[in-house]
Amino acid sequence: MADRSSPAQRFRYAARRVPPWRTGRPLDRPAVVPLVWAAALFGVAQAVAVPLWLPLGWDEAVYVSQVSPRVPSAFFSAPRARGISWLAAPAVLPTGSTVVLRAWMLLLATAGLVAAFWPWRRLVGETCAALAAALFAGLWVVGFYADEVMPNLYVAYGATAATGWFLRAVGGRGRRRCLYALAAAVAFTALIRASDAAFLALALLAALLLVTAWRSRALAVAVAGGLAVGLLPWVAEAYAAFGGPLARLRAGSDVQGGMRWTNALGMHLRALNGPLLCRPCTVSWTHRPLALWWLATPLLTAGALLAARRRGPRGGRAAVLALPVACAGATAAPYLFLLAYAAPRFLMPAYALLAVPVAALALGLVRRAGHRWRPAVAALLALGFALHLASQYLVLHSRISDQMRLRTATREAARRLGEAGVRPPCTLVGPEAVLLAFHAGCSSEALSGNNASTTPARLALRARTQATAYAAHTPAPPGPARSWPGCVLRMPGGTDWYVFLAPAAYRAGRC
């Protein structure tokens, strides 16, 4: 019999054993695994709940414009990475259809859900991995961004997969394949969001140093090498457009309003059910009963860790659940304590990682309830999950309705601008003109703010040769636009646009 006296051997033995919460079909039986069924249901539910014809949002316009041959590229600020644009490219290059793009992104999101939780099947079991995926996919923020061209969901997928493959590599079974998968997951995360990948890699490397049983040069090389490969495009662009990586980091901090110590926990709680971006975050805390899951998640996570520690050998099963908690904290920390604003999507990586211990706790409660009480406990948990899903759908429906109204109004404003003479090639200027310019086929510029990309002198020079307009939701144009003729585009719902046309554009038409 193998000696299991050392910590490394105890962990590898525990990783190969069936965890106490593991139930369901054996892994080696040829069948469609529960995780695939959970992802399929997620994809179908999203296709029904979220209209594929929802117009693009502000950030989406920035990312899509980088690969679209039909519109000029919008200003690409320092914190962004181009991975999400490359994911959208297969649907953007051949057609400008929003429906095709959203269907493609939904397909990627469905496949990504399987890929993210796939390594966890051998760590926590088929049923637990599928339940964790369902818990994460049931959140309204995941449903909203499933077919959007936004990076946060894919950072969540990459972080969850990387953590799972890390633990699989530590377990020792199929080690080489797991190391390659780990490096690929970290590299993918870095391509999508460089800063988030850096914090994830730091957490994984710290785990290697802190846990003696995990120390391995091969694991360190996989994490660091994956991060380096994924950061190559970001570093190359930093030298080409920002003066180097350090200059890009400083510019990124400025765009975020200055990254410094702050406590944004209250902001994230207030923004939990919307708005999509809380900056400045001065909204009141609404729908408080719907925030119970957010407040309960830390308690449920702690309960899962305690239960795993009591039932498993030291350094074994508890570690399988402790690492995703640590990585969740690492990916959430910069958004909770370094940024003075909030958005629900920022914490998606943490939600995905914490879904694993929460699912393990739920299945552990069912298993330990005993034959007499097991059906009642399972029914009670199922009822709670159903109520949670219903509450998340209500929030999702509200956010979709708001965005459909706002984005449709912006698209209609772009059509009216064309009637006013602002047609490609053209330029729109203003702090919120990016989306309007995208729909109008114009390039977009900003004279001030975090995304300032031009100066009044350059704007005046461009206005002499190209249809140019300043557009904003407030009637106070800056610089040379003060002398331009103005008009108001009245939009449904009160989201009016104040437009000031340069003389060249004004002569071609009227608002």
Side-chain angles (χ1 to χ4, degrees):
M1 182 178 294
D3 178 21
R4 304 189 191 108
S5 58
S6 70
Q9 290 166 331
R10 285 202 304 269
F11 177 80
R12 293 190 180 101
Y13 174 69
R16 288 194 296 266
R17 288 185 59 191
V18 177
W21 53 81
R22 179 169 169 177
T23 60
R25 192 181 299 274
L27 289 172
D28 55 355
R29 185 175 300 179
V32 178
V33 298
L35 175 59
V36 175
W37 285 114
L41 289 174
F42 165 70
V44 172
Q46 292 311 116
V48 173
V50 182
L52 295 177
W53 54 90
L54 176 68
L56 298 185
W58 194 93
D59 286 287
E60 286 187 290
V62 175
Y63 289 118
V64 170
S65 69
Q66 308 304 310
V67 292
S68 175
R70 299 164 196 85
V71 295
S73 297
F75 175 71
F76 204 74
S77 61
R80 301 185 186 274
R82 297 188 179 271
I84 191 64
S85 298
W86 296 336
L87 284 181
V92 173
L93 291 173
T95 175
S97 170
T98 300
V99 173
V100 171
L101 175 59
R102 296 232 178 273
W104 169 250
M105 297 307 297
L106 179 57
L107 180 63
L108 290 180
T110 304
L113 187 66
V114 176
F117 289 92
W118 190 264
W120 293 94
R121 295 165 55 241
R122 286 195 181 273
L123 294 167
V124 296
E126 294 277 16
T127 304
C128 187
L131 180 59
L135 288 172
F136 175 62
L139 297 176
W140 78 263
V141 67
V142 177
F144 184 89
Y145 288 105
D147 60 3
E148 296 248 327
V149 187
M150 293 290 286
N152 309 87
L153 178 61
Y154 295 91
V155 172
Y157 287 162
T160 305
T163 307
W165 288 119
F166 180 96
L167 289 169
R168 288 279 298 274
V170 169
R173 191 171 183 178
R175 181 178 174 84
R176 178 174 296 182
R177 179 173 59 87
C178 295
L179 288 172
Y180 288 143
L182 167 61
V186 175
F188 172 81
T189 308
L191 285 173
I192 299 297
R193 193 81 173 175
S195 57
D196 289 0
F199 281 97
L200 170 67
L202 285 175
L204 295 176
L205 293 174
L208 287 178
L209 293 176
L210 294 175
V211 182
T212 305
W214 292 358
R215 290 178 184 173
S216 164
R217 181 177 299 177
L219 272 169
V221 169
V223 174
L227 180 65
V229 171
L231 288 179
L232 279 178
W234 185 91
V235 172
E237 187 176 21
Y239 281 111
F242 297 95
L246 292 179
R248 185 170 189 176
L249 289 175
R250 287 192 294 268
S253 176
D254 293 340
V255 169
Q256 306 287 3
M259 298 186 71
R260 58 190 180 277
W261 175 258
T262 187
N263 184 358
L265 284 168
M267 298 181 191
H268 281 275
L269 184 59
R270 293 196 299 273
L272 182 62
N273 298 315
L276 298 182
L277 180 64
C278 195
R279 184 179 186 178
C281 200
T282 57
V283 298
S284 59
W285 182 16
T286 58
H287 309 296
R288 298 189 179 188
L290 301 184
L292 291 178
W293 71 269
W294 199 80
L295 298 172
T297 297
L299 299 178
L300 296 175
T301 302
L305 294 177
L306 289 175
R309 184 176 179 83
R310 288 179 180 178
R311 294 188 62 84
R314 186 176 181 181
R317 293 167 185 150
V320 171
L321 301 184
L323 186 62
V325 175
C327 291
T331 57
Y335 297 106
L336 293 175
F337 303 112
L338 294 179
L339 297 182
Y341 64 96
R345 66 180 185 272
F346 289 167
L347 300 183
M348 274 200 281
Y351 298 154
L353 288 160
L354 294 179
V356 175
V358 172
L361 177 64
L363 291 179
L365 290 175
V366 173
R367 183 183 181 278
R368 291 193 290 272
H371 293 289
R372 181 179 181 182
W373 294 102
R374 187 172 298 166
V377 173
L380 185 62
L381 290 174
L383 176 61
F385 184 46
L387 293 175
H388 172 68
L389 288 179
S391 69
Q392 294 298 298
Y393 173 79
L394 291 176
V395 178
L396 175 62
H397 178 72
S398 176
R399 297 283 74 79
I400 290 293
S401 299
D402 291 344
Q403 291 301 307
M404 180 66 78
R405 173 178 53 82
L406 293 172
R407 297 180 186 185
T408 301
T410 302
R411 189 170 57 185
E412 173 63 18
R415 186 189 66 81
R416 296 188 190 180
L417 271 180
E419 296 176 351
V422 182
R423 304 184 187 94
C426 50
T427 299
L428 289 182
V429 186
E432 301 175 72
V434 169
L435 186 56
L436 186 65
F438 179 86
H439 289 306
C442 303
S443 60
S444 59
E445 302 285 357
L447 290 168
S448 61
N450 298 324
N451 294 304
S453 57
T454 192
T455 63
R458 292 176 182 173
L459 176 63
L461 184 63
R462 181 178 297 190
R464 297 176 184 175
T465 58
Q466 188 179 104
T468 304
Y470 177 88
H473 292 301
T474 55
R482 294 173 184 171
S483 60
W484 295 352
C487 61
V488 182
L489 301 180
R490 299 291 181 185
M491 296 290 106
T495 56
D496 299 334
W497 285 93
Y498 295 87
V499 180
F500 298 85
L501 302 172
Y506 185 75
R507 286 193 297 271
R510 297 293 295 268
C511 289

PDB file of all heavy atoms in Angstrom, residues 447-473:
ATOM      1  N   LEU A 447     -13.198  65.553 -26.021  1.00  0.00           N
ATOM      2  CA  LEU A 447     -12.343  66.695 -25.697  1.00  0.00           C
ATOM      3  C   LEU A 447     -11.899  66.701 -24.239  1.00  0.00           C
ATOM      4  O   LEU A 447     -10.928  67.363 -23.890  1.00  0.00           O
ATOM      5  CB  LEU A 447     -13.082  68.006 -26.007  1.00  0.00           C
ATOM      6  CG  LEU A 447     -13.289  68.316 -27.495  1.00  0.00           C
ATOM      7  CD1 LEU A 447     -14.283  69.467 -27.653  1.00  0.00           C
ATOM      8  CD2 LEU A 447     -11.968  68.657 -28.156  1.00  0.00           C
ATOM      9  N   SER A 448     -12.613  65.983 -23.398  1.00  0.00           N
ATOM     10  CA  SER A 448     -12.295  65.980 -21.969  1.00  0.00           C
ATOM     11  C   SER A 448     -12.725  64.657 -21.367  1.00  0.00           C
ATOM     12  O   SER A 448     -13.302  63.807 -22.032  1.00  0.00           O
ATOM     13  CB  SER A 448     -12.995  67.155 -21.261  1.00  0.00           C
ATOM     14  OG  SER A 448     -14.407  67.032 -21.408  1.00  0.00           O
ATOM     15  N   GLY A 449     -12.440  64.506 -20.088  1.00  0.00           N
ATOM     16  CA  GLY A 449     -12.838  63.293 -19.397  1.00  0.00           C
ATOM     17  C   GLY A 449     -11.776  62.214 -19.449  1.00  0.00           C
ATOM     18  O   GLY A 449     -10.654  62.414 -19.921  1.00  0.00           O
ATOM     19  N   ASN A 450     -12.139  61.024 -18.979  1.00  0.00           N
ATOM     20  CA  ASN A 450     -11.186  59.926 -18.873  1.00  0.00           C
ATOM     21  C   ASN A 450     -10.736  59.401 -20.226  1.00  0.00           C
ATOM     22  O   ASN A 450      -9.673  58.777 -20.333  1.00  0.00           O
ATOM     23  CB  ASN A 450     -11.801  58.782 -18.059  1.00  0.00           C
ATOM     24  CG  ASN A 450     -12.118  59.193 -16.645  1.00  0.00           C
ATOM     25  OD1 ASN A 450     -11.385  59.967 -16.048  1.00  0.00           O
ATOM     26  ND2 ASN A 450     -13.207  58.687 -16.101  1.00  0.00           N
ATOM     27  N   ASN A 451     -11.553  59.614 -21.246  1.00  0.00           N
ATOM     28  CA  ASN A 451     -11.231  59.100 -22.578  1.00  0.00           C
ATOM     29  C   ASN A 451     -10.935  60.221 -23.564  1.00  0.00           C
ATOM     30  O   ASN A 451     -11.214  60.083 -24.764  1.00  0.00           O
ATOM     31  CB  ASN A 451     -12.386  58.227 -23.088  1.00  0.00           C
ATOM     32  CG  ASN A 451     -12.553  56.962 -22.272  1.00  0.00           C
ATOM     33  OD1 ASN A 451     -11.631  56.174 -22.128  1.00  0.00           O
ATOM     34  ND2 ASN A 451     -13.744  56.773 -21.722  1.00  0.00           N
ATOM     35  N   ALA A 452     -10.382  61.329 -23.088  1.00  0.00           N
ATOM     36  CA  ALA A 452     -10.051  62.450 -23.970  1.00  0.00           C
ATOM     37  C   ALA A 452      -9.088  61.991 -25.061  1.00  0.00           C
ATOM     38  O   ALA A 452      -8.068  61.355 -24.781  1.00  0.00           O
ATOM     39  CB  ALA A 452      -9.429  63.581 -23.159  1.00  0.00           C
ATOM     40  N   SER A 453      -9.427  62.315 -26.316  1.00  0.00           N
ATOM     41  CA  SER A 453      -8.641  61.810 -27.437  1.00  0.00           C
ATOM     42  C   SER A 453      -8.295  62.878 -28.466  1.00  0.00           C
ATOM     43  O   SER A 453      -7.595  62.584 -29.433  1.00  0.00           O
ATOM     44  CB  SER A 453      -9.408  60.678 -28.138  1.00  0.00           C
ATOM     45  OG  SER A 453     -10.680  61.131 -28.569  1.00  0.00           O
ATOM     46  N   THR A 454      -8.754  64.108 -28.269  1.00  0.00           N
ATOM     47  CA  THR A 454      -8.426  65.172 -29.213  1.00  0.00           C
ATOM     48  C   THR A 454      -8.404  66.506 -28.485  1.00  0.00           C
ATOM     49  O   THR A 454      -8.713  66.582 -27.292  1.00  0.00           O
ATOM     50  CB  THR A 454      -9.433  65.208 -30.379  1.00  0.00           C
ATOM     51  OG1 THR A 454      -8.938  66.065 -31.407  1.00  0.00           O
ATOM     52  CG2 THR A 454     -10.800  65.696 -29.920  1.00  0.00           C
ATOM     53  N   THR A 455      -8.039  67.570 -29.195  1.00  0.00           N
ATOM     54  CA  THR A 455      -7.972  68.916 -28.630  1.00  0.00           C
ATOM     55  C   THR A 455      -8.882  69.842 -29.430  1.00  0.00           C
ATOM     56  O   THR A 455      -9.259  69.532 -30.575  1.00  0.00           O
ATOM     57  CB  THR A 455      -6.533  69.455 -28.685  1.00  0.00           C
ATOM     58  OG1 THR A 455      -6.129  69.560 -30.064  1.00  0.00           O
ATOM     59  CG2 THR A 455      -5.581  68.526 -27.942  1.00  0.00           C
ATOM     60  N   PRO A 456      -9.260  70.986 -28.880  1.00  0.00           N
ATOM     61  CA  PRO A 456     -10.086  71.925 -29.639  1.00  0.00           C
ATOM     62  C   PRO A 456      -9.449  72.352 -30.957  1.00  0.00           C
ATOM     63  O   PRO A 456     -10.154  72.507 -31.963  1.00  0.00           O
ATOM     64  CB  PRO A 456     -10.233  73.106 -28.673  1.00  0.00           C
ATOM     65  CG  PRO A 456     -10.104  72.502 -27.316  1.00  0.00           C
ATOM     66  CD  PRO A 456      -9.102  71.406 -27.464  1.00  0.00           C
ATOM     67  N   ALA A 457      -8.124  72.515 -30.989  1.00  0.00           N
ATOM     68  CA  ALA A 457      -7.471  72.931 -32.230  1.00  0.00           C
ATOM     69  C   ALA A 457      -7.594  71.844 -33.299  1.00  0.00           C
ATOM     70  O   ALA A 457      -7.888  72.130 -34.474  1.00  0.00           O
ATOM     71  CB  ALA A 457      -5.999  73.237 -31.953  1.00  0.00           C
ATOM     72  N   ARG A 458      -7.376  70.598 -32.910  1.00  0.00           N
ATOM     73  CA  ARG A 458      -7.511  69.510 -33.877  1.00  0.00           C
ATOM     74  C   ARG A 458      -8.953  69.357 -34.337  1.00  0.00           C
ATOM     75  O   ARG A 458      -9.209  69.066 -35.511  1.00  0.00           O
ATOM     76  CB  ARG A 458      -7.032  68.195 -33.245  1.00  0.00           C
ATOM     77  CG  ARG A 458      -5.533  68.153 -32.974  1.00  0.00           C
ATOM     78  CD  ARG A 458      -5.175  66.858 -32.273  1.00  0.00           C
ATOM     79  NE  ARG A 458      -3.754  66.802 -31.950  1.00  0.00           N
ATOM     80  CZ  ARG A 458      -3.200  65.841 -31.219  1.00  0.00           C
ATOM     81  NH1 ARG A 458      -3.973  64.866 -30.724  1.00  0.00           N
ATOM     82  NH2 ARG A 458      -1.899  65.846 -30.966  1.00  0.00           N
ATOM     83  N   LEU A 459      -9.880  69.573 -33.438  1.00  0.00           N
ATOM     84  CA  LEU A 459     -11.290  69.476 -33.815  1.00  0.00           C
ATOM     85  C   LEU A 459     -11.656  70.550 -34.828  1.00  0.00           C
ATOM     86  O   LEU A 459     -12.345  70.275 -35.824  1.00  0.00           O
ATOM     87  CB  LEU A 459     -12.170  69.596 -32.572  1.00  0.00           C
ATOM     88  CG  LEU A 459     -13.680  69.599 -32.819  1.00  0.00           C
ATOM     89  CD1 LEU A 459     -14.120  68.279 -33.443  1.00  0.00           C
ATOM     90  CD2 LEU A 459     -14.434  69.851 -31.520  1.00  0.00           C
ATOM     91  N   ALA A 460     -11.202  71.771 -34.597  1.00  0.00           N
ATOM     92  CA  ALA A 460     -11.495  72.859 -35.536  1.00  0.00           C
ATOM     93  C   ALA A 460     -10.895  72.584 -36.903  1.00  0.00           C
ATOM     94  O   ALA A 460     -11.509  72.860 -37.943  1.00  0.00           O
ATOM     95  CB  ALA A 460     -10.972  74.174 -34.973  1.00  0.00           C
ATOM     96  N   LEU A 461      -9.700  72.008 -36.926  1.00  0.00           N
ATOM     97  CA  LEU A 461      -9.059  71.683 -38.194  1.00  0.00           C
ATOM     98  C   LEU A 461      -9.827  70.600 -38.940  1.00  0.00           C
ATOM     99  O   LEU A 461     -10.036  70.683 -40.156  1.00  0.00           O
ATOM    100  CB  LEU A 461      -7.620  71.245 -37.932  1.00  0.00           C
ATOM    101  CG  LEU A 461      -6.766  70.944 -39.175  1.00  0.00           C
ATOM    102  CD1 LEU A 461      -6.601  72.217 -40.024  1.00  0.00           C
ATOM    103  CD2 LEU A 461      -5.400  70.414 -38.751  1.00  0.00           C
ATOM    104  N   ARG A 462     -10.285  69.589 -38.223  1.00  0.00           N
ATOM    105  CA  ARG A 462     -11.026  68.515 -38.877  1.00  0.00           C
ATOM    106  C   ARG A 462     -12.372  69.012 -39.398  1.00  0.00           C
ATOM    107  O   ARG A 462     -12.844  68.552 -40.450  1.00  0.00           O
ATOM    108  CB  ARG A 462     -11.239  67.357 -37.900  1.00  0.00           C
ATOM    109  CG  ARG A 462     -11.990  66.172 -38.503  1.00  0.00           C
ATOM    110  CD  ARG A 462     -12.143  65.035 -37.529  1.00  0.00           C
ATOM    111  NE  ARG A 462     -10.862  64.469 -37.119  1.00  0.00           N
ATOM    112  CZ  ARG A 462     -10.748  63.350 -36.422  1.00  0.00           C
ATOM    113  NH1 ARG A 462     -11.822  62.669 -36.062  1.00  0.00           N
ATOM    114  NH2 ARG A 462      -9.550  62.895 -36.075  1.00  0.00           N
ATOM    115  N   ALA A 463     -12.997  69.941 -38.676  1.00  0.00           N
ATOM    116  CA  ALA A 463     -14.319  70.433 -39.071  1.00  0.00           C
ATOM    117  C   ALA A 463     -14.291  71.177 -40.400  1.00  0.00           C
ATOM    118  O   ALA A 463     -15.335  71.371 -41.023  1.00  0.00           O
ATOM    119  CB  ALA A 463     -14.883  71.329 -37.973  1.00  0.00           C
ATOM    120  N   ARG A 464     -13.114  71.598 -40.853  1.00  0.00           N
ATOM    121  CA  ARG A 464     -13.042  72.308 -42.124  1.00  0.00           C
ATOM    122  C   ARG A 464     -13.208  71.380 -43.323  1.00  0.00           C
ATOM    123  O   ARG A 464     -13.638  71.832 -44.399  1.00  0.00           O
ATOM    124  CB  ARG A 464     -11.689  73.020 -42.234  1.00  0.00           C
ATOM    125  CG  ARG A 464     -11.466  74.098 -41.174  1.00  0.00           C
ATOM    126  CD  ARG A 464     -10.057  74.678 -41.322  1.00  0.00           C
ATOM    127  NE  ARG A 464      -9.764  75.653 -40.264  1.00  0.00           N
ATOM    128  CZ  ARG A 464      -8.581  76.229 -40.105  1.00  0.00           C
ATOM    129  NH1 ARG A 464      -7.576  75.935 -40.947  1.00  0.00           N
ATOM    130  NH2 ARG A 464      -8.380  77.086 -39.122  1.00  0.00           N
ATOM    131  N   THR A 465     -12.866  70.117 -43.149  1.00  0.00           N
ATOM    132  CA  THR A 465     -12.849  69.199 -44.297  1.00  0.00           C
ATOM    133  C   THR A 465     -13.795  68.013 -44.144  1.00  0.00           C
ATOM    134  O   THR A 465     -13.954  67.241 -45.077  1.00  0.00           O
ATOM    135  CB  THR A 465     -11.425  68.656 -44.504  1.00  0.00           C
ATOM    136  OG1 THR A 465     -10.993  67.991 -43.307  1.00  0.00           O
ATOM    137  CG2 THR A 465     -10.467  69.799 -44.809  1.00  0.00           C
ATOM    138  N   GLN A 466     -14.415  67.855 -42.986  1.00  0.00           N
ATOM    139  CA  GLN A 466     -15.232  66.666 -42.753  1.00  0.00           C
ATOM    140  C   GLN A 466     -16.462  67.029 -41.949  1.00  0.00           C
ATOM    141  O   GLN A 466     -16.425  67.927 -41.095  1.00  0.00           O
ATOM    142  CB  GLN A 466     -14.398  65.619 -41.986  1.00  0.00           C
ATOM    143  CG  GLN A 466     -15.052  64.264 -41.847  1.00  0.00           C
ATOM    144  CD  GLN A 466     -14.151  63.286 -41.104  1.00  0.00           C
ATOM    145  OE1 GLN A 466     -14.364  62.981 -39.929  1.00  0.00           O
ATOM    146  NE2 GLN A 466     -13.113  62.810 -41.790  1.00  0.00           N
ATOM    147  N   ALA A 467     -17.569  66.353 -42.232  1.00  0.00           N
ATOM    148  CA  ALA A 467     -18.788  66.574 -41.456  1.00  0.00           C
ATOM    149  C   ALA A 467     -18.513  66.268 -39.979  1.00  0.00           C
ATOM    150  O   ALA A 467     -18.160  65.151 -39.630  1.00  0.00           O
ATOM    151  CB  ALA A 467     -19.907  65.683 -41.977  1.00  0.00           C
ATOM    152  N   THR A 468     -18.663  67.275 -39.151  1.00  0.00           N
ATOM    153  CA  THR A 468     -18.300  67.161 -37.739  1.00  0.00           C
ATOM    154  C   THR A 468     -19.422  67.739 -36.887  1.00  0.00           C
ATOM    155  O   THR A 468     -20.033  68.749 -37.247  1.00  0.00           O
ATOM    156  CB  THR A 468     -16.985  67.916 -37.448  1.00  0.00           C
ATOM    157  OG1 THR A 468     -15.964  67.427 -38.318  1.00  0.00           O
ATOM    158  CG2 THR A 468     -16.549  67.714 -36.012  1.00  0.00           C
ATOM    159  N   ALA A 469     -19.670  67.104 -35.764  1.00  0.00           N
ATOM    160  CA  ALA A 469     -20.710  67.582 -34.857  1.00  0.00           C
ATOM    161  C   ALA A 469     -20.327  67.258 -33.428  1.00  0.00           C
ATOM    162  O   ALA A 469     -19.642  66.254 -33.161  1.00  0.00           O
ATOM    163  CB  ALA A 469     -22.060  66.964 -35.199  1.00  0.00           C
ATOM    164  N   TYR A 470     -20.765  68.122 -32.525  1.00  0.00           N
ATOM    165  CA  TYR A 470     -20.623  67.849 -31.098  1.00  0.00           C
ATOM    166  C   TYR A 470     -21.985  67.388 -30.595  1.00  0.00           C
ATOM    167  O   TYR A 470     -23.007  68.045 -30.834  1.00  0.00           O
ATOM    168  CB  TYR A 470     -20.174  69.101 -30.343  1.00  0.00           C
ATOM    169  CG  TYR A 470     -20.080  68.887 -28.845  1.00  0.00           C
ATOM    170  CD1 TYR A 470     -18.910  68.411 -28.270  1.00  0.00           C
ATOM    171  CD2 TYR A 470     -21.166  69.150 -28.017  1.00  0.00           C
ATOM    172  CE1 TYR A 470     -18.821  68.201 -26.905  1.00  0.00           C
ATOM    173  CE2 TYR A 470     -21.085  68.940 -26.648  1.00  0.00           C
ATOM    174  CZ  TYR A 470     -19.910  68.465 -26.092  1.00  0.00           C
ATOM    175  OH  TYR A 470     -19.827  68.248 -24.752  1.00  0.00           O
ATOM    176  N   ALA A 471     -22.016  66.252 -29.902  1.00  0.00           N
ATOM    177  CA  ALA A 471     -23.278  65.689 -29.411  1.00  0.00           C
ATOM    178  C   ALA A 471     -23.124  65.314 -27.948  1.00  0.00           C
ATOM    179  O   ALA A 471     -22.136  64.685 -27.556  1.00  0.00           O
ATOM    180  CB  ALA A 471     -23.675  64.475 -30.239  1.00  0.00           C
ATOM    181  N   ALA A 472     -24.097  65.700 -27.148  1.00  0.00           N
ATOM    182  CA  ALA A 472     -24.076  65.384 -25.723  1.00  0.00           C
ATOM    183  C   ALA A 472     -25.504  65.471 -25.195  1.00  0.00           C
ATOM    184  O   ALA A 472     -26.421  65.945 -25.882  1.00  0.00           O
ATOM    185  CB  ALA A 472     -23.161  66.339 -24.958  1.00  0.00           C
ATOM    186  N   HIS A 473     -25.669  65.030 -23.975  1.00  0.00           N
ATOM    187  CA  HIS A 473     -26.981  65.105 -23.336  1.00  0.00           C
ATOM    188  C   HIS A 473     -27.173  66.415 -22.577  1.00  0.00           C
ATOM    189  O   HIS A 473     -28.212  66.605 -21.937  1.00  0.00           O
ATOM    190  CB  HIS A 473     -27.171  63.918 -22.387  1.00  0.00           C
ATOM    191  CG  HIS A 473     -27.282  62.594 -23.086  1.00  0.00           C
ATOM    192  ND1 HIS A 473     -28.264  62.319 -24.017  1.00  0.00           N
ATOM    193  CD2 HIS A 473     -26.529  61.462 -22.996  1.00  0.00           C
ATOM    194  CE1 HIS A 473     -28.123  61.087 -24.469  1.00  0.00           C
ATOM    195  NE2 HIS A 473     -27.070  60.549 -23.864  1.00  0.00           N
TER     196      HIS A 473
END
